[in-house]
Amino acid sequence: MVRIASSQPRKQRKARYTAPSHVSTKYLNAPLSAALKEKYPKKTLRVVKGDTVKVTRGDFVGSEGLVDAVDTKNSKIVVHGVSSTKADGTEVPRAIDASNVQITKLNLADKRRVAKLGETE
């Protein structure tokens, strides 16, 4: 996580909400599954569109799906199959915090991401 200097909750929230984009991208890290931890020397990795994740907290615990979208402004992700029903009956995607999911399968389409993992393919 990003180091926050103050111990006051209001200043911690303000630092998080007003963080620049290169800092707020750190809030989108999620832990890797046990199998991926053995394969790669990392504990957490930034969630990107196309990763397969398993929800570990909240109403949808245990559900697994692809990441459909990553909202960097609000530090939330949208997982396929995780949705809420509105009063009129329509289904809307439910945004989840990245810390409440576990990455089970990586999207390795980006060469820079593969290089960061230490894999040489």
Side-chain angles (χ1 to χ4, degrees), residues 50-98:
D51 282 348
T52 304
V53 296
K54 179 180 175 185
V55 180
T56 56
R57 296 278 188 274
D59 296 336
F60 299 96
V61 64
S63 61
E64 195 166 339
L66 280 172
V67 175
D68 287 337
V70 178
D71 184 6
T72 54
K73 176 73 177 158
N74 297 317
S75 299
K76 301 283 184 181
I77 62 171
V78 176
V79 180
H80 186 76
V82 175
S83 60
S84 296
T85 307
K86 289 173 49 172
D88 62 358
T90 58
E91 294 279 325
V92 291
R94 173 106 177 250
I96 301 174
D97 197 76

Side-chain angles (χ1 to χ4, degrees), residues 10-25:
R10 67 185 166 93
K11 288 187 179 179
Q12 291 177 10
R13 281 192 296 271
K14 183 174 182 178
R16 217 179 146 102
Y17 297 150
T18 60
S21 62
H22 74 283
V23 174
S24 63
T25 190

